[in-house]
Amino acid sequence: MLDAARELWSQDVLQSNMLISLQRVAEGLVLGVAAGVLLAVLCGLFWVGEDLIDPVIQAARAVPILGLSPAG
């Protein structure tokens, strides 16, 4: 495995792929945090938001994390 990593590093393939992966992680983190903050504000400030959003959030919390990942 280290030999393959060294070979990809010397070909400048590993660096570009790592940057793309880190960019995708950062984009997902920003979108997830923004959605979480928005839903939290809606639930916390408005009764209608709490009545509509909170049951869905509580149901999603009951699903184990491994159940959300694709099998295979």
Side-chain angles (χ1 to χ4, degrees):
M1 185 167 101
L2 288 175
D3 293 333
R6 284 188 194 115
E7 183 178 339
L8 291 173
W9 185 272
S10 67
Q11 295 173 357
D12 292 331
V13 174
L14 189 60
Q15 296 93 326
S16 63
N17 287 338
M18 285 179 60
L19 287 175
I20 291 169
S21 295
L22 287 174
Q23 179 183 1
R24 290 179 180 174
V25 167
E27 289 172 358
L29 178 66
V30 167
L31 289 174
V33 168
V37 168
L38 178 66
L39 290 173
V41 168
L42 288 175
C43 283
L45 293 180
F46 304 107
W47 290 105
V48 175
E50 183 177 357
D51 290 341
L52 292 176
I53 298 171
D54 192 51
V56 175
I57 299 298
Q58 296 305 322
R61 284 183 45 193
V63 177
I65 290 293
L66 290 178
L68 297 175
S69 64

